[in-house]
Amino acid sequence: MSRRAITLRVNGEEVTALVEPRLNLADFLRQEAELTGTHVGCEHGVCGACTVKVDGRAVRGCLMLAVQCEGAEIETVEGLAASAQGSELCEAFVEQNALQCGFCTPGMLITAAELLDDNPAPTREEVRDHLSGNYCRCTGYQAIVDAVMDVAAKREMS
Amino acid sequence: MILAGGQSVIPALNMRLNEPAVLVDINKVPGLGVIEEKGGVLRIGALCRHEQVRKSVDVSAHAPLLTKALAHVAHPAIRNRGTFGGSLCNADAAAELPACVLALGATLNVESAEGSRAIAAEDFFFGFFETALEEGEVLASIDLPVLGATGRHFFDEAARRRGDYALAGLAAAARVEGGRMIAPRFAFISCGDRPLLAGALGELVATRYPDAPAEDEIAEALARDLEPPEDAVTSSAARMRIATVLAARAIREFQQNGGRA
Ligand SMILES: Cc1cc2nc3c(=O)[nH]c(=O)nc-3n(C[C@H](O)[C@H](O)[C@H](O)COP(=O)(O)OP(=O)(O)OC[C@H]3O[C@@H](n4cnc5c(N)ncnc54)[C@H](O)[C@@H]3O)c2cc1C
Ligand code: FES
Ligand code: FES
């Protein structure tokens, strides 16, 4: 299949590339944009490691084609971590030991950031619910929920 | 093959379960992503995302069954992409939305180069991932009757984990008018090769109202209505038991709300 030219914004920077229509967004970000923070685990939507924001909403990078992102604004974990909100989340993850191998962390951070955008003071149950589609094989989840709750509490105080 | 939210199509491509020669992306087709209520009918565009429908105030006012059911559909990041129409066209017997439109007595509006036609939800789901759509037809929108003051909606399911497909689930709708229960529709999830409308149960409940049938009578009716599948972890009997408990719960809720109205 012939390659298609696409132009999109990734973490605020314009990116133009020639891609095969079959290339998924997660592979595009890793291979073409060289942003390897977005991880690829299951490639069928189940693990959440590839989660990125497209036009402000968290989606599975493995379940969207790069050509569908023409004109879109993508935020990856690299962009999130460079923002004030994102670095707050990253720090809380470190403080609470919310990562061990770190494979799930980019997806967890993007998903948690989306939750806190919509719902700045979630209950523990709401955090668990929102993160229910992100697998972590190391931490046992409690520390991740703790970290998200910490950020919400900190923001409420400030 | 049509590509809508891609949350079923792309996993199938990634796993090499499907090799379509052509994918037609309908995401930028204008007008398919609108929700509106007009003259007692709630119209949901086929391209409306699950999260859009779940958060819609029109939907929670006129079809609260959907608001409840959508909280059980996958996870937020999948609901941000997956579409209402895509879920219906995918016709998974374990999916929530096909059972909901069956319970609500929805009409599916289909378009093709030849023209348009309307298909009743009862006539849309054929069998295992099979629908009444013909080659070249696209689902454009879904029309639902609004709840109204006498309407009753119920949704619940049992799943192993949050967001998993249901072991068994129930979407139900009815009207309670002048001390009678009218047209109760109980649509079951994961209890056959497609969402199944339990006719024997509906009749039993309507005849008995305002009394409720006993649990063994419910089970007896459901034995005629359902054919729950069996897999490595869940037996047909276990699904039947969940279905019975959910039906009893729905009937109780309908009665209590009916009493208050
Ligand atoms: C990890 C994971 C968990 C999930 N869990 C659940 C769950 O618990 N419950 C549940 O119900 N679903 C679940 N889903 C599926 C999800 O809800 C999908 O969004 C849905 O099944 C398909 O919708 P889609 O818009 O993504 O359709 P697509 O994947 O784009 O298409 C699905 C099928 O419908 C056809 N199609 C789509 N739109 C149209 C149209 N307008 N006209 C004609 N044909 C059309 C396509 O050609 C294809 O055959 C899950 C998905 C994933 C990846
Ligand atoms: S790699 Fe996308 S969800 Fe697992
Ligand atoms: S830290 Fe290893 S998978 Fe989550």
Side-chain angles (χ1 to χ4, degrees), chain B residues 8 50 69-74 86-102 125 127-131 155-171 187-196 227-231 234 239 242 246:
Chain B
S8 294
H50 297 327
L70 280 161
H72 295 272
V73 175
S87 180
L88 301 182
C89 295
N90 198 49
D92 187 337
E96 285 80 2
L97 297 179
C100 290
V101 298
L102 202 54
F125 303 104
F128 196 66
F129 292 100
E130 238 181 282
T131 70
F155 186 90
D156 205 357
E157 67 173 45
R160 284 186 198 279
R161 287 165 306 200
R162 201 86 179 111
D164 274 11
Y165 285 99
L167 299 173
L170 169 61
F188 285 87
I189 299 166
S190 289
C191 287
D193 62 351
R194 62 205 140 97
L196 287 179
E227 262 179 87
E230 194 139 294
D231 61 33
T234 312
R239 290 187 210 274
I242 297 169
L246 293 176

Side-chain angles (χ1 to χ4, degrees), chain A residues 43 58 62 68 114 129 132-133, chain B residues 7 10 14 25 75 77 80 162:
Chain A
E43 292 185 87
C62 71
Q68 293 184 293
E114 181 191 45
D129 188 33
S132 66
Chain B
Q7 305 301 289
I10 299 188
N14 288 352
D25 185 351
H75 312 283
N80 281 336
R162 201 86 179 111

Side-chain angles (χ1 to χ4, degrees), chain B residues 23 69-70 77 82 104 122 181 202 221 258:
Chain B
L23 270 185
L70 280 161
L104 292 171
E122 287 97 309
M181 185 177 291

Side-chain angles (χ1 to χ4, degrees), chain A residues 44-46 63, chain B residues 1-9 11 26 46 50 72-74 78 82-83 85-87 89-90 95-96 133 137-139 163-165:
Chain A
H44 61 278
V46 174
L63 298 187
Chain B
M1 176 177 231
I2 288 172
L3 174 63
Q7 305 301 289
S8 294
V9 167
I26 61 170
H50 297 327
H72 295 272
V73 175
I78 289 158
T83 67
S87 180
C89 295
N90 198 49
E96 285 80 2
L133 283 182
E137 284 186 325
V138 179
L139 177 60
D164 274 11
Y165 285 99

Side-chain angles (χ1 to χ4, degrees), chain A residues 53 56-57 75 85 110 112-120 155:
Chain A
K53 277 192 189 171
R57 305 309 307 179
E75 186 181 27
Q85 295 216 323
I110 294 277
E114 181 191 45
L115 168 69
L116 293 175
D117 286 346
D118 289 356
N119 180 359
R155 286 190 194 166

